[in-house]
Amino acid sequence: MKTLLALILWCILFVLCWPLALVMIVLFPIVWLLLLPFKIVGLSIDLVFKLIGAILLFPFKLVKSL
């Protein structure tokens, strides 16, 4: 659904201002590639925090199940 909405918005932009729409088509993959390492680092940090939280809460879960 998100992709369909993006396509519809791009088509509206293409009708209103086609040079800007073409620039967006060219720049979007470049920006996506530049931001990809930050997304990977963010995912890694999130997983590390979830692991630490699970390790710290494990004894409490054991006591609660008894």
Side-chain angles (χ1 to χ4, degrees):
M1 189 67 178
K2 194 176 184 180
T3 306
L4 180 64
L5 182 63
L7 179 66
I8 291 171
L9 289 173
W10 183 84
C11 288
I12 292 170
L13 180 64
F14 186 76
V15 169
L16 295 177
C17 183
W18 63 268
L20 182 61
L22 293 178
V23 167
M24 283 185 60
I25 285 290
V26 172
L27 289 181
F28 180 75
I30 296 169
V31 171
W32 185 82
L33 283 173
L34 288 174
L35 293 179
L36 189 60
F38 297 107
K39 290 181 181 185
I40 293 171
V41 169
L43 178 65
S44 302
I45 291 173
D46 184 48
L47 291 175
V48 167
F49 282 138
K50 285 183 181 180
L51 177 65
I52 292 171
I55 290 171
L56 291 176
L57 293 177
F58 183 67
F60 298 107
K61 289 184 180 182
L62 283 178
V63 169
K64 185 178 179 181
S65 66
L66 295 175

